[in-house]
Amino acid sequence: LPTPNTTSSQSQIFSITKMKFTSAAFGLVVGTASILSVANGFVARSNAVVRPAFAHSDTQLMAKQTPHGGTLVDLMTKSDDEKTTVAAKATVEIQATSRQLCDLELLMNGGFSPLTGFMDEATYKNVVENMELPDSKLIFGLPVVFDTDSEDLQPGMTALIKDGDRDIAIIEFTDKFSPDKPLECLKCYGTSEIEHPGSLMVATERGKYYMGGKVTGLNLPVRDFVCASPAEVRESLPEDTDVVAFQCRNPIHRAHYELFTRALDAENVGKTGIVLVHPTCGPTQADDIPGDVRYKTYEVLKEETANPRTRWAYLPYSMHMAGPREAIQHMMVRKNYGCTHFIIGRDMAGSKSSVTGEDFYGAYDAQDFARENAPRLGMQTVPSLNLVYTEEKGYVTADEADAEKLSPLKLSGTKFRKMLRGGEDIPEWFAFKSVVDVLRANA
């Protein structure tokens, strides 16, 4: 890797051998938001399905679970006249990055309740160091920040946030600060080494400044898949019923399906409980399958299984691969969507070193951390079962297979991908044919 340029005012040094941050001011400038003057034209947006209008209803809190902080935040304007009035306050325009659009949508629709905007410096520092909001002491897993490299953007300014030519939101900036990025990564990701994808994102994608500010929503981003808001999901849930959230960022195969359907048999889940399959479809680590392809696999699987105890929705969330801290963030967001329980998988939101291939987190670190902090969130955890497929009895737990001396069948992810590329038949005990067909069609 090349050594970043340095300036006299800001050290940007990192060790090539240790692959770590060594300066709190380190910040490369790849892919951050761009500032535009109000008079400038805008980049045309590619054709995509426009999401239905945001729903508002008095029944939005009918779900059993209460929102984080007690109130489901809704920052969206309610009329075209209001949008025009609010947008007229802007003195500058900013084209948002894909990660910023995800954060904005979850701020605007209440997925990040109780936040009403991007975190100021005091809030950012408290979340990084203590994992809680400073005034309410509510637990909060990861900071939600607006990054920029602009020297001109200052507190007191009001920015119109754009996605191509689409107005998304207004941000009324309150402060601007230089974050301690190595400390942020060390506290949030457990490491400041840039072979961690989250640390790499902070170093190479985020701008050198963070800005806090109040958000007012104008329009939701245009996506190829519809992301229902917390209010909309809550309206669809049965009243006074346990809702078990299943988070994933990859296509769902047979073992995943067995895992989340069997979660309903957990001792702490009510007999009428349902599963909300709630995949993240925003940016993730570089070698993951693109969000629009993942979405297509979920849609065909939803149709194929048609399980009355399973609900499906999609989350516009940008993954950090932060392991235990991200498990808390996911639980908090799903709480706002009306979920009472959360399935914690082995090495949830985990990642491997891009240099050594070693795991950054232990297999059960996220499970243990989530279980320890679940009472602060008002959530319950459901540990994922370690399932294996056997010739004799199909899917059983690994302990059961060992006790009964059953014959497990195994297929590694590497072998699966090789078979997929080579057009070989994929065993149906491993993957749903409908999902395989989508993956091959979009290879």
Side-chain angles (χ1 to χ4, degrees):
L1 292 174
T3 304
N5 293 330
T6 58
T7 66
S8 58
S9 62
Q10 183 175 8
S11 174
Q12 296 178 325
I13 304 170
F14 69 99
S15 166
I16 298 297
T17 56
K18 294 185 177 180
M19 299 288 283
K20 290 185 178 182
F21 294 118
T22 57
S23 168
F26 176 52
L28 301 176
V29 291
V30 180
T32 53
S34 57
I35 306 290
L36 300 174
S37 70
V38 174
N40 282 350
F42 310 109
V43 179
R45 177 76 166 152
S46 60
N47 291 332
V49 178
V50 178
R51 188 191 184 286
F54 187 90
H56 302 274
S57 170
D58 292 338
T59 64
Q60 66 178 262
L61 301 182
M62 294 274 291
K64 182 177 181 178
Q65 179 64 278
T66 57
H68 199 43
T71 301
L72 188 63
V73 171
D74 175 8
L75 304 180
M76 297 298 296
T77 50
K78 304 300 187 290
S79 68
D80 289 341
D81 288 344
E82 187 180 2
K83 289 179 185 179
T84 301
T85 301
V86 169
K89 298 178 182 179
T91 56
V92 66
E93 291 184 1
I94 302 174
Q95 283 290 337
T97 66
S98 57
R99 288 185 182 274
Q100 289 170 340
L101 287 172
C102 287
D103 288 345
L104 273 167
E105 185 163 355
L106 290 174
L107 285 169
M108 294 188 299
N109 70 16
F112 282 150
S113 295
L115 297 186
T116 57
F118 287 100
M119 293 179 179
D120 59 21
E121 185 173 14
T123 305
Y124 161 79
K125 286 183 174 180
N126 214 56
V127 169
V128 166
E129 298 189 26
N130 304 313
M131 205 172 68
E132 65 182 19
L133 300 177
D135 296 326
S136 64
K137 304 301 180 184
L138 284 171
I139 187 171
F140 210 98
L142 296 168
V144 179
V145 297
F146 189 88
D147 64 293
T148 183
D149 283 306
S150 173
E151 302 291 344
D152 297 328
L153 200 59
Q154 295 295 327
M157 297 177 69
T158 298
L160 176 62
I161 310 301
K162 307 279 290 189
D163 180 21
D165 59 358
R166 185 174 178 83
D167 295 348
I168 300 299
I170 287 290
I171 306 178
E172 299 172 59
F173 290 115
T174 57
D175 71 344
K176 183 177 186 178
F177 56 98
S178 297
D180 187 339
K181 289 187 175 185
L183 180 64
E184 175 186 344
C185 293
L186 188 62
K187 292 287 189 177
C188 294
Y189 307 142
T191 179
S192 58
E193 296 178 352
I194 62 171
E195 59 251 43
H196 184 289
S199 296
L200 183 65
M201 178 272 292
V202 171
T204 64
E205 293 182 29
R206 282 189 179 165
K208 62 182 178 180
Y209 302 115
Y210 292 171
M211 300 192 71
K214 177 185 174 183
V215 169
T216 302
L218 302 175
N219 298 287
L220 295 174
V222 174
R223 302 188 184 279
D224 294 322
F225 47 88
V226 173
C227 293
S229 70
E232 291 167 334
V233 171
R234 284 172 169 273
E235 288 180 14
S236 73
L237 299 175
E239 191 174 356
D240 198 32
T241 297
D242 285 344
V243 181
V244 182
F246 177 70
Q247 144 70 22
C248 59
R249 69 176 204 279
N250 290 308
I252 292 172
H253 297 311
R254 290 278 182 179
H256 302 120
Y257 185 79
E258 292 290 331
L259 186 155
F260 67 69
T261 53
R262 295 185 188 204
L264 294 175
D265 297 327
E267 293 181 355
N268 62 338
V269 178
K271 292 182 178 180
T272 61
I274 63 172
V275 172
L276 174 66
V277 184
H278 205 202
T280 55
C281 292
T284 179
Q285 60 184 357
D287 58 350
D288 280 351
I289 292 171
D292 59 336
V293 178
R294 281 178 270 149
Y295 163 72
K296 292 174 183 176
T297 68
Y298 304 140
E299 285 294 289
V300 296
L301 185 58
K302 178 172 64 174
E303 184 175 336
E304 178 178 344
T305 56
N307 188 334
R309 296 188 70 187
T310 302
R311 307 293 173 85
W312 297 73
Y314 304 106
L315 185 70
Y317 178 87
S318 171
M319 290 291 297
H320 294 249
M321 313 309 299
R325 289 280 294 253
E326 191 145 36
I328 301 301
Q329 195 84 336
H330 281 300
M331 289 175 68
M332 181 204 71
V333 170
R334 278 20 180 262
K335 177 183 181 181
N336 286 327
Y337 277 82
C339 299
T340 55
H341 297 66
F342 191 77
I343 299 171
I344 304 291
R346 285 170 53 90
D347 195 23
M348 179 183 174
S351 58
K352 297 178 183 295
S353 166
S354 60
V355 175
T356 67
E358 295 179 1
D359 291 321
F360 279 106
Y361 313 111
Y364 300 101
D365 286 357
Q367 287 189 10
D368 294 343
F369 195 66
R371 183 169 56 250
E372 176 186 340
N373 286 281
R376 294 181 65 190
L377 272 168
M379 292 278 283
Q380 297 186 54
T381 61
V382 180
S384 63
L385 299 172
N386 185 14
L387 298 175
V388 296
Y389 184 83
T390 63
E391 292 179 349
E392 299 86 354
K393 297 181 68 172
Y395 277 102
V396 299
T397 65
D399 290 342
E400 184 180 348
D402 289 342
E404 299 184 23
K405 300 187 184 310
L406 303 177
S407 306
L409 299 180
K410 295 182 180 180
L411 180 61
S412 69
T414 301
K415 176 64 174 175
F416 167 69
R417 288 188 291 272
K418 183 178 179 181
M419 294 173 70
L420 194 66
R421 290 192 299 268
E424 299 178 54
D425 289 337
I426 307 294
E428 294 204 20
W429 63 262
F430 182 86
F432 293 91
K433 184 179 183 302
S434 60
V435 172
V436 170
D437 289 344
V438 169
L439 293 175
R440 281 188 168 142
N442 291 273

